[in-house]
Amino acid sequence: MSVFQEYLNNRQAQESTALELIAVLGALAANQVNILFFGDRVAFSVSDLLAKHSKAGLEVADTLALAKVLADKGLANTTVDLGQAVKGGQTADAFTSGAEVSATDVVLYGFGRIGRILARLLMSRPVSDKGLQLKAIVVRPAGDGDLAKRASLLERDSVHGWFDGSVSIDTENNGIIANGRFIKVIYASDPSEVDYTAYGIDDAIMIDNTGKWKDEEGLGKHLASKGVKKVLLTAPAKGDIKNVVYGVNHDTIGADTIVSAASCTTNAITPTLKVLHDEYGIVNGHMETIHAFTNDQNLVDNHHKSDRRGRAAPLNMVMTSTGAASAVAKAVPELKGKLSGSSIRVPTPNVSLAILNLNFEKEVGSAEAINAFIKAQSQSLQWQEQIDYSDSPEAVSTDFVGCEKVAIFDAKATIASEKRATLYVWYDNEMGYSTQVIRVAEVMAK
């Protein structure tokens, strides 16, 4: 047998096993089992499954064996990380079913970059009558053809590509149909104009993507609308509203009816800062974010209420401010007053880079030592959903487009000695952040 034929036969056998695994995963998903593989969502794709197993050094047959037992025992309403389970040698006895999850209506107020990615993520999940249910989006009144335009922007994206599924419109009912599910499009200029119960929506979580209101008074307008129970802001909040970074302080939400998911940069740096502070003790430091330009900048030079942001975004590096460093303290109070921060907007449409210059209480040793520590954290069950690890000498920003991990630690760029370190953290400021927003929404929905 030739080497070529040997590899071909091996691949065919693996693909056959992966196909069988997909069928079992479908049965688990139908029972509300959220399947992860080292913190990543599992696509029902042969190539994706085999690639994940190859990267982890695991056999797909071992995963299939465990998944079959879990399905046969009727596991339901829980989360299982199959990668961690197989790697750790866990058996099906380690997993028990959880309480049944009720349905929670979700409304997106605003349908810009973050709003559309949230819709993509929610509509990419298997159909279910449990968990988060995207029922409507609210946008400002517009002219003829607006519905088709909204659907087209959901379907086609210059950064993230085509939506993985089908998108069409229902003009009679003024809605978008994504993967066979109806999303009502509501036109309003202010939350007070909408009675959501008129559309069969009740006790909903309102995810405000506009950034127009950031305090309790403004966001409270949503709660005054019939059918809304809680509000989640996708921007840093003002006042006493909690800024929540999932994985760090989401357990503080409690009965709060208004919560902020902080900013993309705060979500990117806080998990890394948290693990570093717990291990070495951060004395002080400075965070610089090299940030992709955003829609609040001008395409060409024009008047802008903020300094410098009026200059052409696709042509300039633009120095600006960021509240991300100070916002970290809302999630990790021990870091209050210890970090400063600034930002430079650069002519790329997505993926940003945070540079952390930190002084520690303890010796960090070499770059290799601190890299090994972060790598271990990125592979831990606690942090694998937030922190990823890259040691490629060829890594550049576009490599991380679409990454659902909120932070990707660049090991090749680390500089460290004695009690100081300079660390580099990439993040897809759209996709990574949106996955964190959905996790916060799930906590709010209980």
Side-chain angles (χ1 to χ4, degrees), residues 274-356:
K274 168 67 174 170
V275 299
L276 289 169
H277 182 67
D278 288 348
E279 181 70 12
Y280 302 107
I282 295 174
V283 176
N284 53 46
H286 177 78
M287 182 279 300
E288 187 85 33
T289 174
I290 312 302
H291 201 291
F293 65 78
T294 65
N295 199 44
D296 77 326
Q297 294 174 255
N298 291 335
L299 288 175
V300 297
D301 288 359
N302 208 339
H303 178 270
H304 196 290
K305 64 180 181 180
S306 299
D307 294 340
R308 308 196 201 218
R309 293 193 189 189
R311 303 300 299 276
L315 299 176
N316 295 290
M317 292 190 292
V318 179
M319 296 182 68
T320 186
S321 61
T322 177
S326 58
V328 168
K330 289 194 173 184
V332 187
E334 310 95 271
L335 295 179
K336 184 176 182 179
K338 293 185 176 183
L339 300 171
S340 58
S342 53
S343 176
I344 302 173
R345 300 284 180 93
V346 294
T348 55
N350 185 40
V351 179
S352 301
L353 175 66
I355 305 172
L356 307 174

Coordinates of all heavy atoms in Angstrom, one line a residue, residues 274-356:
K274 N -6.7 39.7 35.3 CA -7.2 39.0 36.5 C -6.3 37.8 36.9 O -5.8 37.7 38.0 CB -8.6 38.5 36.3 CG -9.2 37.5 37.3 CD -9.4 38.0 38.7 CE -10.0 37.0 39.6 NZ -10.0 37.5 41.0
V275 N -5.9 37.0 35.9 CA -5.1 35.8 36.2 C -3.7 36.3 36.5 O -3.0 35.7 37.4 CB -5.1 34.8 35.0 CG1 -6.4 34.3 34.7 CG2 -4.5 35.4 33.7
L276 N -3.2 37.3 35.9 CA -1.8 37.8 36.2 C -1.8 38.4 37.6 O -0.8 38.2 38.4 CB -1.4 38.9 35.2 CG -1.1 38.4 33.8 CD1 -1.0 39.5 32.8 CD2 0.2 37.6 33.8
H277 N -2.9 39.2 38.0 CA -2.9 39.8 39.3 C -3.0 38.7 40.4 O -2.3 38.8 41.4 CB -4.1 40.7 39.4 CG -4.1 41.4 40.8 ND1 -3.2 42.3 41.2 CD2 -5.0 41.3 41.8 CE1 -3.5 42.8 42.4 NE2 -4.6 42.2 42.8
D278 N -3.8 37.7 40.2 CA -3.9 36.6 41.1 C -2.6 35.8 41.3 O -2.3 35.4 42.4 CB -5.0 35.6 40.7 CG -6.4 36.2 40.8 OD1 -6.5 37.2 41.5 OD2 -7.3 35.5 40.3
E279 N -1.8 35.8 40.3 CA -0.5 35.0 40.3 C 0.7 35.8 40.8 O 1.5 35.4 41.6 CB -0.2 34.4 39.0 CG 1.1 33.6 38.9 CD 1.0 32.2 39.7 OE1 -0.2 31.9 40.0 OE2 2.0 31.6 39.9
Y280 N 0.8 37.1 40.2 CA 2.0 37.9 40.5 C 1.7 39.1 41.3 O 2.7 39.7 41.8 CB 2.7 38.2 39.2 CG 3.0 37.1 38.3 CD1 2.3 36.7 37.2 CD2 4.1 36.3 38.6 CE1 2.7 35.7 36.4 CE2 4.5 35.2 37.8 CZ 3.8 34.9 36.7 OH 4.1 33.8 35.9
G281 N 0.5 39.6 41.3 CA 0.2 40.9 42.0 C 0.6 42.1 41.2 O 1.8 42.4 41.1
I282 N -0.4 42.7 40.5 CA -0.1 43.9 39.7 C 0.1 45.1 40.6 O -0.9 45.5 41.3 CB -1.2 44.1 38.6 CG1 -1.2 43.0 37.7 CG2 -0.9 45.4 37.9 CD1 -2.3 43.0 36.7
V283 N 1.2 45.8 40.5 CA 1.4 47.0 41.3 C 0.8 48.2 40.5 O 0.1 49.0 41.1 CB 3.0 47.3 41.5 CG1 3.2 48.6 42.2 CG2 3.6 46.1 42.3
N284 N 1.2 48.3 39.3 CA 0.6 49.4 38.4 C 0.9 49.0 37.0 O 1.7 48.1 36.7 CB 1.1 50.8 38.8 CG 2.6 50.8 38.8 OD1 3.3 50.3 37.9 ND2 3.2 51.4 39.9
G285 N 0.4 49.8 36.0 CA 0.7 49.6 34.6 C -0.1 50.5 33.7 O -0.9 51.3 34.1
H286 N 0.2 50.4 32.4 CA -0.4 51.2 31.4 C -0.9 50.2 30.3 O -0.2 49.3 29.9 CB 0.5 52.2 30.8 CG -0.1 53.0 29.7 ND1 -0.9 54.0 29.9 CD2 0.1 52.9 28.4 CE1 -1.3 54.6 28.8 NE2 -0.7 53.9 27.8
M287 N -2.1 50.5 29.8 CA -2.7 49.7 28.7 C -2.8 50.6 27.5 O -3.4 51.7 27.6 CB -4.0 49.1 29.1 CG -4.7 48.3 28.0 SD -5.6 49.2 26.7 CE -6.8 50.1 27.6
E288 N -2.3 50.2 26.4 CA -2.5 50.9 25.1 C -3.2 50.0 24.1 O -2.8 48.8 23.9 CB -1.1 51.3 24.5 CG -1.2 52.2 23.3 CD -1.3 53.6 23.6 OE1 -0.7 54.0 24.6 OE2 -2.0 54.4 22.9
T289 N -4.3 50.4 23.6 CA -5.0 49.6 22.6 C -4.8 50.2 21.2 O -5.1 51.3 20.9 CB -6.5 49.4 22.9 OG1 -7.1 48.7 21.9 CG2 -7.2 50.8 23.1
I290 N -4.3 49.3 20.3 CA -4.2 49.6 18.9 C -5.5 49.1 18.3 O -5.7 47.9 18.0 CB -3.0 49.0 18.2 CG1 -1.8 49.2 19.1 CG2 -2.8 49.5 16.8 CD1 -1.4 50.6 19.3
H291 N -6.5 50.0 18.1 CA -7.9 49.6 17.9 C -8.3 49.9 16.4 O -8.0 50.9 15.8 CB -8.8 50.4 18.8 CG -10.1 49.8 19.0 ND1 -11.1 49.7 18.1 CD2 -10.7 49.2 20.1 CE1 -12.2 49.1 18.5 NE2 -11.9 48.8 19.8
A292 N -9.0 48.9 15.9 CA -9.6 49.1 14.6 C -10.5 50.3 14.6 O -11.2 50.6 15.6 CB -10.4 47.8 14.2
F293 N -10.6 51.0 13.4 CA -11.5 52.1 13.4 C -13.0 51.7 13.5 O -13.3 50.5 13.2 CB -11.3 53.0 12.2 CG -11.6 52.4 10.8 CD1 -13.0 52.2 10.4 CD2 -10.6 51.9 10.0 CE1 -13.3 51.7 9.2 CE2 -10.9 51.3 8.8 CZ -12.2 51.2 8.4
T294 N -13.8 52.6 14.0 CA -15.2 52.2 14.2 C -16.2 53.2 13.5 O -15.7 54.2 13.0 CB -15.6 52.2 15.7 OG1 -15.4 53.5 16.3 CG2 -14.7 51.2 16.5
N295 N -17.4 52.9 13.6 CA -18.4 53.7 12.8 C -18.6 55.1 13.4 O -19.2 56.0 12.8 CB -19.8 53.0 12.9 CG -20.7 53.5 11.8 OD1 -20.3 53.7 10.6 ND2 -22.0 53.7 12.1
D296 N -18.1 55.4 14.6 CA -18.2 56.8 15.1 C -17.1 57.7 14.6 O -17.1 58.9 15.0 CB -18.2 56.7 16.7 CG -16.8 56.6 17.2 OD1 -16.0 55.9 16.6 OD2 -16.5 57.1 18.3
Q297 N -16.3 57.2 13.7 CA -15.3 58.1 13.1 C -15.8 58.5 11.7 O -16.7 57.9 11.1 CB -13.9 57.4 13.0 CG -13.3 57.1 14.3 CD -12.1 56.2 14.2 OE1 -12.1 55.1 14.6 NE2 -11.0 56.8 13.8
N298 N -15.1 59.5 11.1 CA -15.5 59.9 9.8 C -14.7 59.2 8.7 O -13.5 58.9 8.9 CB -15.3 61.4 9.6 CG -16.2 62.2 10.4 OD1 -17.3 61.8 10.8 ND2 -15.9 63.5 10.8
L299 N -15.3 58.9 7.6 CA -14.6 58.3 6.4 C -13.6 59.3 5.8 O -12.5 59.0 5.4 CB -15.6 57.8 5.4 CG -16.4 56.6 5.7 CD1 -17.4 56.3 4.7 CD2 -15.4 55.4 5.9
V300 N -14.0 60.6 5.7 CA -13.2 61.7 5.2 C -13.2 62.8 6.3 O -14.1 62.8 7.2 CB -13.7 62.2 3.9 CG1 -13.6 61.1 2.8 CG2 -15.1 62.7 4.0
D301 N -12.2 63.7 6.2 CA -12.1 64.8 7.2 C -13.4 65.6 7.2 O -13.9 66.0 6.2 CB -11.0 65.7 6.8 CG -9.6 65.1 7.0 OD1 -9.6 63.9 7.5 OD2 -8.6 65.8 6.7
N302 N -14.0 65.7 8.4 CA -15.2 66.5 8.6 C -15.3 66.8 10.1 O -14.6 66.3 10.9 CB -16.4 65.7 8.1 CG -17.5 66.6 7.6 OD1 -17.6 67.8 8.0 ND2 -18.4 66.1 6.8
H303 N -16.3 67.6 10.4 CA -16.5 68.0 11.8 C -16.9 66.8 12.6 O -17.7 65.9 12.2 CB -17.6 69.1 11.9 CG -17.9 69.5 13.3 ND1 -18.9 68.9 14.0 CD2 -17.4 70.5 14.1 CE1 -19.0 69.4 15.2 NE2 -18.0 70.4 15.3
H304 N -16.4 66.8 13.8 CA -16.7 65.7 14.8 C -16.7 66.3 16.2 O -15.8 67.1 16.5 CB -15.7 64.5 14.6 CG -16.2 63.2 15.3 ND1 -16.3 63.1 16.6 CD2 -16.5 62.0 14.7 CE1 -16.7 61.8 16.9 NE2 -16.8 61.2 15.8
K305 N -17.6 65.9 17.0 CA -17.6 66.4 18.4 C -16.4 66.0 19.2 O -16.1 66.7 20.2 CB -18.9 66.0 19.1 CG -19.0 64.5 19.3 CD -20.3 64.1 20.0 CE -20.5 62.6 20.3 NZ -21.7 62.3 21.0
S306 N -15.8 64.9 18.9 CA -14.6 64.5 19.6 C -13.3 64.9 18.9 O -13.2 65.0 17.7 CB -14.6 62.9 19.7 OG -15.7 62.5 20.4
D307 N -12.3 65.2 19.7 CA -11.0 65.5 19.1 C -10.4 64.4 18.3 O -10.5 63.2 18.6 CB -10.0 65.8 20.2 CG -10.4 67.1 21.1 OD1 -11.2 67.9 20.5 OD2 -9.9 67.2 22.2
R308 N -9.9 64.8 17.1 CA -9.2 63.9 16.2 C -10.1 62.9 15.4 O -9.7 62.4 14.4 CB -8.0 63.2 16.9 CG -7.1 64.1 17.7 CD -5.8 63.3 18.0 NE -5.1 63.9 19.1 CZ -3.8 64.1 19.2 NH1 -3.0 63.7 18.2 NH2 -3.2 64.6 20.3
R309 N -11.2 62.5 16.0 CA -12.0 61.4 15.4 C -12.7 62.0 14.1 O -13.2 61.2 13.3 CB -13.1 60.9 16.3 CG -12.4 60.1 17.5 CD -13.5 59.3 18.2 NE -13.0 58.7 19.4 CZ -13.6 57.8 20.2 NH1 -14.8 57.4 19.8 NH2 -13.0 57.4 21.3
G310 N -12.6 63.3 13.9 CA -13.2 63.8 12.6 C -12.3 63.6 11.4 O -12.7 63.7 10.3
R311 N -11.0 63.2 11.7 CA -10.1 63.0 10.6 C -10.3 61.6 9.9 O -10.8 60.7 10.6 CB -8.6 63.1 11.1 CG -8.3 64.4 11.7 CD -8.5 65.6 10.8 NE -7.6 65.5 9.6 CZ -6.3 65.9 9.6 NH1 -5.8 66.4 10.7 NH2 -5.6 65.8 8.5
A312 N -10.0 61.5 8.7 CA -10.4 60.3 7.9 C -9.9 59.0 8.5 O -8.7 58.8 8.6 CB -9.9 60.5 6.5
A313 N -10.8 58.2 8.9 CA -10.4 56.9 9.6 C -9.6 55.9 8.7 O -8.7 55.3 9.2 CB -11.7 56.2 10.1
P314 N -10.0 55.8 7.4 CA -9.2 54.9 6.6 C -7.8 55.3 6.2 O -7.0 54.6 5.6 CB -10.1 54.7 5.3 CG -11.4 55.3 5.7 CD -11.1 56.4 6.7
L315 N -7.5 56.6 6.6 CA -6.2 57.1 6.1 C -5.2 57.4 7.2 O -4.0 57.7 7.0 CB -6.4 58.4 5.3 CG -7.3 58.3 4.0 CD1 -7.5 59.7 3.5 CD2 -6.6 57.4 3.0
N316 N -5.7 57.4 8.5 CA -4.9 57.9 9.6 C -4.9 57.0 10.8 O -5.8 56.3 11.0 CB -5.5 59.3 10.1 CG -5.4 60.4 9.1 OD1 -4.3 60.8 8.8 ND2 -6.5 60.8 8.5
M317 N -3.8 57.0 11.5 CA -3.7 56.5 12.9 C -4.2 57.7 13.7 O -3.7 58.8 13.6 CB -2.3 56.1 13.3 CG -1.9 54.9 12.5 SD -0.3 54.2 13.2 CE 0.8 55.5 12.8
V318 N -5.2 57.5 14.5 CA -5.9 58.5 15.3 C -5.8 58.3 16.8 O -6.3 57.3 17.3 CB -7.4 58.6 14.9 CG1 -8.1 59.8 15.7 CG2 -7.5 58.9 13.4
M319 N -5.1 59.2 17.4 CA -4.9 59.1 18.9 C -6.3 59.5 19.5 O -6.9 60.5 19.2 CB -3.8 60.0 19.4 CG -2.4 59.6 18.9 SD -1.1 60.6 19.6 CE -1.2 60.1 21.3
T320 N -6.7 58.7 20.5 CA -8.0 59.0 21.2 C -7.9 58.5 22.6 O -6.9 57.9 23.0 CB -9.2 58.5 20.4 OG1 -10.4 58.9 21.0 CG2 -9.1 57.0 20.3
S321 N -9.0 58.6 23.3 CA -9.1 58.1 24.7 C -9.8 56.8 24.8 O -10.5 56.4 23.9 CB -9.8 59.2 25.6 OG -11.1 59.3 25.1
T322 N -9.6 56.1 25.9 CA -10.4 54.9 26.2 C -10.6 54.8 27.7 O -9.7 55.2 28.5 CB -9.6 53.6 25.7 OG1 -10.4 52.5 26.1 CG2 -8.2 53.5 26.3
G323 N -11.7 54.3 28.1 CA -12.0 54.2 29.5 C -11.8 52.7 30.0 O -12.2 52.4 31.1
A324 N -11.2 51.9 29.1 CA -11.1 50.5 29.3 C -10.3 50.2 30.6 O -10.6 49.3 31.4 CB -10.6 49.7 28.1
A325 N -9.2 50.9 30.7 CA -8.3 50.6 31.8 C -8.9 50.9 33.2 O -8.9 50.1 34.1 CB -7.0 51.5 31.7
S326 N -9.6 52.0 33.3 CA -10.3 52.3 34.5 C -11.5 51.4 34.7 O -11.9 51.1 35.9 CB -10.8 53.8 34.5 OG -11.6 54.1 33.4
A327 N -12.2 51.0 33.6 CA -13.3 50.1 33.7 C -13.0 48.7 34.3 O -13.8 48.0 34.8 CB -14.0 50.0 32.4
V328 N -11.7 48.3 34.1 CA -11.3 47.0 34.6 C -11.6 46.9 36.1 O -11.9 45.9 36.6 CB -9.8 46.8 34.4 CG1 -9.3 45.6 35.1 CG2 -9.5 46.6 32.9
A329 N -11.4 48.1 36.8 CA -11.6 48.1 38.3 C -13.0 47.8 38.7 O -13.2 47.3 39.8 CB -11.2 49.4 38.8
K330 N -14.0 48.0 37.8 CA -15.4 47.6 38.1 C -15.6 46.1 38.2 O -16.4 45.6 38.9 CB -16.3 48.3 37.1 CG -16.4 49.8 37.3 CD -17.6 50.3 36.6 CE -17.8 51.8 36.9 NZ -19.1 52.4 36.2
A331 N -14.7 45.4 37.4 CA -14.8 43.9 37.4 C -13.8 43.3 38.4 O -14.0 42.3 39.0 CB -14.5 43.4 36.0
V332 N -12.6 44.0 38.6 CA -11.6 43.5 39.5 C -11.2 44.7 40.4 O -10.3 45.5 40.1 CB -10.3 43.0 38.7 CG1 -9.3 42.4 39.7 CG2 -10.7 42.1 37.6
P333 N -12.0 44.9 41.5 CA -11.8 46.1 42.4 C -10.4 46.2 42.9 O -10.0 47.4 43.2 CB -12.8 45.8 43.5 CG -13.8 44.9 42.9 CD -13.1 44.0 41.9
E334 N -9.6 45.1 43.0 CA -8.3 45.2 43.5 C -7.4 46.0 42.6 O -6.3 46.5 43.0 CB -7.7 43.8 43.7 CG -8.5 42.9 44.5 CD -9.4 42.0 43.5 OE1 -10.5 42.4 43.2 OE2 -8.9 40.9 43.2
L335 N -7.8 46.3 41.4 CA -6.9 47.0 40.4 C -7.3 48.5 40.3 O -6.8 49.2 39.4 CB -7.0 46.3 39.0 CG -6.4 44.9 38.9 CD1 -6.6 44.4 37.5 CD2 -5.0 44.9 39.4
K336 N -8.2 48.9 41.1 CA -8.7 50.3 41.1 C -7.5 51.3 41.3 O -6.7 51.1 42.2 CB -9.7 50.6 42.2 CG -10.3 52.0 42.1 CD -11.4 52.2 43.1 CE -12.0 53.6 43.0 NZ -13.1 53.8 44.0
G337 N -7.4 52.2 40.4 CA -6.3 53.2 40.4 C -4.9 52.7 40.0 O -4.0 53.5 40.1
K338 N -4.8 51.5 39.6 CA -3.5 51.0 39.3 C -3.1 51.0 37.8 O -2.0 50.8 37.4 CB -3.4 49.5 39.8 CG -3.4 49.4 41.3 CD -3.2 47.9 41.7 CE -3.1 47.8 43.2 NZ -2.8 46.4 43.7
L339 N -4.2 51.3 36.9 CA -3.9 51.2 35.5 C -4.3 52.5 34.8 O -5.3 53.1 35.1 CB -4.7 50.1 34.9 CG -4.4 48.6 35.4 CD1 -5.4 47.7 34.8 CD2 -3.0 48.2 35.0
S340 N -3.5 52.9 33.9 CA -3.9 54.0 33.0 C -4.1 53.4 31.6 O -3.7 52.3 31.3 CB -2.8 55.1 32.9 OG -1.5 54.5 32.5
G341 N -4.7 54.2 30.7 CA -4.9 53.7 29.4 C -5.1 54.7 28.3 O -5.5 55.9 28.6
S342 N -4.7 54.4 27.1 CA -5.0 55.3 25.9 C -5.2 54.4 24.7 O -5.0 53.2 24.7 CB -3.8 56.2 25.7 OG -2.6 55.5 25.7
S343 N -5.5 55.0 23.6 CA -5.9 54.3 22.4 C -5.5 55.0 21.1 O -5.4 56.2 21.1 CB -7.5 54.1 22.4 OG -7.9 53.4 21.2
I344 N -5.1 54.2 20.2 CA -4.8 54.6 18.8 C -5.7 53.9 17.8 O -5.6 52.7 17.7 CB -3.4 54.4 18.4 CG1 -2.5 55.2 19.4 CG2 -3.1 55.0 17.0 CD1 -1.0 54.9 19.3
R345 N -6.6 54.6 17.1 CA -7.4 54.0 16.1 C -6.6 53.9 14.8 O -5.9 54.8 14.4 CB -8.7 54.8 15.8 CG -9.6 55.0 17.0 CD -10.4 53.7 17.3 NE -11.3 53.9 18.5 CZ -12.6 54.3 18.4 NH1 -13.1 54.6 17.2 NH2 -13.3 54.4 19.4
V346 N -6.6 52.7 14.2 CA -5.8 52.5 13.0 C -6.7 52.0 11.8 O -7.8 51.6 12.0 CB -4.7 51.4 13.3 CG1 -3.7 51.9 14.3 CG2 -5.4 50.1 13.8
P347 N -6.2 52.2 10.6 CA -7.0 51.9 9.4 C -7.2 50.5 9.1 O -6.8 50.0 8.0 CB -6.2 52.6 8.3 CG -5.3 53.6 9.0 CD -4.9 52.9 10.2
T348 N -7.7 49.7 10.0 CA -8.2 48.3 9.7 C -9.6 48.2 10.3 O -9.9 48.9 11.3 CB -7.3 47.3 10.5 OG1 -7.2 47.6 11.8 CG2 -5.9 47.3 9.9
P349 N -10.5 47.5 9.6 CA -11.9 47.4 10.0 C -12.2 46.6 11.2 O -13.3 46.7 11.7 CB -12.5 46.9 8.7 CG -11.5 46.0 8.1 CD -10.2 46.7 8.4
N350 N -11.3 45.7 11.6 CA -11.7 44.8 12.7 C -10.4 44.1 13.2 O -9.4 44.0 12.5 CB -12.7 43.7 12.3 CG -13.1 42.8 13.4 OD1 -13.4 43.3 14.5 ND2 -13.3 41.5 13.1
V351 N -10.4 43.7 14.4 CA -9.4 43.0 15.2 C -8.4 44.1 15.7 O -7.9 44.9 15.0 CB -8.6 42.0 14.4 CG1 -7.5 41.4 15.3 CG2 -9.5 40.9 14.0
S352 N -8.3 44.1 17.0 CA -7.5 45.1 17.7 C -6.4 44.4 18.6 O -6.4 43.2 18.7 CB -8.4 46.0 18.6 OG -9.4 46.6 17.8
L353 N -5.5 45.3 19.1 CA -4.4 44.7 19.9 C -4.2 45.6 21.1 O -4.0 46.8 21.1 CB -3.1 44.7 19.0 CG -1.8 44.3 19.7 CD1 -1.9 42.8 20.1 CD2 -0.7 44.6 18.8
A354 N -4.2 44.9 22.3 CA -4.0 45.6 23.6 C -2.5 45.3 24.0 O -2.1 44.1 24.0 CB -5.0 45.1 24.6
I355 N -1.8 46.3 24.4 CA -0.5 46.2 24.9 C -0.5 46.5 26.3 O -0.9 47.6 26.8 CB 0.5 47.1 24.1 CG1 0.4 46.9 22.6 CG2 1.9 46.9 24.6 CD1 1.2 47.9 21.8
L356 N -0.1 45.6 27.2 CA -0.1 45.7 28.6 C 1.3 45.9 29.1 O 2.1 44.9 29.1 CB -0.8 44.5 29.3 CG -2.1 44.1 28.7 CD1 -2.6 42.8 29.4 CD2 -3.1 45.2 29.0

